[in-house]
Amino acid sequence: MRIRDAKVVICCPGRNFVTLKIQTDDGIYGLGDATLNGRELAVAAYLTEHVVPCLIGKDASRTEDIWQYLYRGGYWRRGPVTMTAIAAVDVALWDIKAKALQTPLYNLLGGRVRDGVMVYGHANGRDIDEAADEVGKYLSQGYLAVRAQCGIPGLPTTYGVSKDKMFYEPAEAGLPVENSWSTEKYLGHVPKLFERLRSTYGDEVHLLHDGHHRMTPIQAAHLGKQLEPYRLFWLEDAVTAELQEGFRIIRQHTTTPLAVGEVFDTVWDTKTLISEQLIDYLRMSLRGGGITALRKIASFADIYHVQMGSHGATDLSPVTMGAALHFDLSISNFGVQEYMHHSPETLEVFPHAYSFVKGYMHPGDRPGHGVDLDESLAAKFPYQRAYLPVNRKLDGTLWNW
Ligand code: EZ4
Ligand code: CO
């Protein structure tokens, strides 16, 4: 089973997606997601110019060897562009392997260890009333876990708050828009949101919140303490995690469970966080090196009681969603999967076997990861430059978005 051809397909059915399609000489193809929000064309060029020529003629079944070839063999290691490209190749090759063996991908990863994958939805509102109503809508759709974000009085925009509720997408066409931010205003307001949600919806629902990298460790420690009475499932991205030991400060002060990892690329981003038990959930997506890498990272996390909580934003294509569900179904230390709704156009471009029933998702039982690409439909949605916002404090200082 040799790799005969590989190509990159870029499309924008509502937002940009980069897809790698690898074809073998016995007629099987596999798909991998190579989308890196706001840097899409860099990964596309990395693949087309530097990876695809090396793949032609290789034995497609050698997923581990090809991973090592691209990681060690590239000399320049790590980084989001490199790891997104390697992930795309890896997921496409696992898709091929499962299709060749005519079995759903989860069977190659040890088989199912649970019946379904619990997911959380994104509820948001301009104020606490609206956010509370939105949480109610998710609960009435059967969700067992909901992330809640709301507008902050005195700030014109807030992370996670959008006009278009179910299809929230932070990247906007054109050059980056600028948001403004005040952590002081935020810290005073967020506990009121969760006080309301617990008093309205009771103790059963799992509530989550995303700090989106904006606090310092001591500010995050303070927020974690304030939120303890409302028993969050997790507080996500409380601080940026380049300085992993910064999480020691948060951990010393609060029992609110901590989650981080959606921008991580390799196991090296997690080493201190996991081995010192500074976090409870690792939120890396398959973008960090694909199934080959994430299986090892999940095993490392398992030793330290850290559970996996896959990033599942709309800037990852349905290919990542489908493959992630196979991964989630097969690892023992799984927590919850993020589930943001793709646009109807995106779901048409990527026909898929996965489904949502009563708070759980299932990848389906088609051979492979179960997500396809309608190339002729994709061609009708050409690339459109789009970026995530940038963020400034009220005095104009550039801050983390
Ligand atoms: O803002 O993936 O938890 N989810 C998130 C996402 C991120 C986007 C950035 O591209 O934080 O919605
Ligand atoms: Co997040």
Side-chain angles (χ1 to χ4, degrees), residues 41-52 70 74 76 81-82 85-86:
L41 302 184
V43 185
Y46 188 106
L47 283 167
T48 309
E49 302 297 328
H50 306 297
V51 172
V52 168
L70 295 175
W76 310 105
V81 174
T82 296
I86 294 177

Side-chain angles (χ1 to χ4, degrees), residues 120 122 147 159 210-213 236-237 262 283 311 338:
Y120 68 92
H122 280 210
R147 187 190 93 159
Y159 166 76
D210 194 345
H212 224 260
H213 322 283
E236 173 177 338
D237 291 349
E262 66 184 51
R283 295 196 64 261
H311 185 211
E338 181 181 29

Side-chain angles (χ1 to χ4, degrees), residues 335-385:
V336 70
Q337 164 76 49
E338 181 181 29
Y339 174 42
M340 287 173 75
H341 293 243
H342 285 110
S343 70
E345 294 80 10
T346 298
L347 295 175
E348 266 182 70
V349 169
F350 294 94
H352 52 280
Y354 60 75
S355 58
F356 171 92
V357 183
K358 292 185 182 152
Y360 294 93
M361 287 181 80
H362 195 283
D365 296 316
R366 274 188 217 158
H369 56 49
V371 184
D372 210 344
L373 172 68
D374 182 335
E375 287 186 60
S376 53
L377 191 56
K380 295 189 180 147
F381 300 102
Y383 170 80
Q384 227 192 323
R385 184 184 305 282

Side-chain angles (χ1 to χ4, degrees), residues 373-400:
L373 172 68
D374 182 335
E375 287 186 60
S376 53
L377 191 56
K380 295 189 180 147
F381 300 102
Y383 170 80
Q384 227 192 323
R385 184 184 305 282
Y387 290 105
L388 293 169
V390 296
N391 211 15
R392 290 187 190 276
K393 293 184 184 178
L394 296 179
D395 70 355
T397 309
L398 199 90
W399 192 234
N400 313 311

Side-chain angles (χ1 to χ4, degrees), residues 134-369:
E134 292 298 317
V135 169
K137 285 185 198 164
Y138 279 93
L139 297 180
S140 64
Q141 290 177 25
Y143 282 81
L144 304 169
V146 187
R147 187 190 93 159
Q149 313 286 137
C150 75
I152 308 299
L155 294 181
T157 54
T158 307
Y159 166 76
V161 179
S162 73
K163 294 162 252 146
D164 204 351
K165 297 298 176 209
M166 281 289 167
F167 302 106
Y168 166 62
E169 168 52 61
E172 286 188 40
L175 296 176
V177 299
E178 298 208 353
N179 290 176
S180 54
W181 182 248
S182 158
T183 304
E184 292 74 21
K185 292 185 195 298
Y186 166 80
L187 289 177
H189 196 64
V190 178
K192 296 178 197 158
L193 169 65
F194 286 92
E195 182 183 18
R196 163 71 79 82
L197 295 177
R198 275 291 173 227
S199 70
T200 308
Y201 299 112
D203 284 342
E204 281 288 296
V205 54
H206 297 306
L207 295 174
L208 298 82
H209 181 70
D210 194 345
H212 224 260
H213 322 283
R214 284 140 197 240
M215 289 169 272
T216 63
I218 203 67
Q219 289 170 332
H222 174 77
L223 180 64
K225 262 175 131 165
Q226 299 296 111
L227 293 175
E228 278 173 23
Y230 316 117
R231 291 192 306 101
L232 259 56
F233 188 93
W234 75 38
L235 172 61
E236 173 177 338
D237 291 349
V239 301
T240 63
E242 288 104 324
L243 184 71
Q244 296 180 44
E245 51 271 49
F247 273 70
R248 287 177 192 149
I249 295 171
I250 315 175
R251 207 55 158 173
Q252 279 158 12
H253 294 287
T254 181
T255 56
T256 292
L258 303 173
V260 72
E262 66 184 51
V263 304
F264 290 3
D265 300 312
T266 71
V267 69
W268 301 104
D269 295 325
T270 75
K271 188 175 163 287
T272 304
L273 290 170
I274 291 177
S275 64
E276 292 190 19
Q277 297 180 276
L278 302 180
I279 57 170
D280 301 281
Y281 296 93
L282 179 65
R283 295 196 64 261
M284 284 179 71
S285 66
L286 294 175
R287 196 193 58 69
I291 286 175
T292 296
L294 264 292
R295 290 180 78 199
K296 296 175 189 178
I297 294 170
S299 300
F300 171 53
D302 199 12
I303 298 172
Y304 295 97
H305 304 282
V306 174
Q307 293 176 285
M308 304 301 285
S310 278
H311 185 211
T314 39
D315 55 8
L316 299 159
S317 91
V319 171
T320 290
M321 189 69 203
L325 291 170
H326 288 267
F327 177 73
D328 299 339
L329 207 58
S330 67
I331 55 167
S332 139
N333 56 325
F334 169 73
V336 70
Q337 164 76 49
E338 181 181 29
Y339 174 42
M340 287 173 75
H341 293 243
H342 285 110
S343 70
E345 294 80 10
T346 298
L347 295 175
E348 266 182 70
V349 169
F350 294 94
H352 52 280
Y354 60 75
S355 58
F356 171 92
V357 183
K358 292 185 182 152
Y360 294 93
M361 287 181 80
H362 195 283
D365 296 316
R366 274 188 217 158
H369 56 49

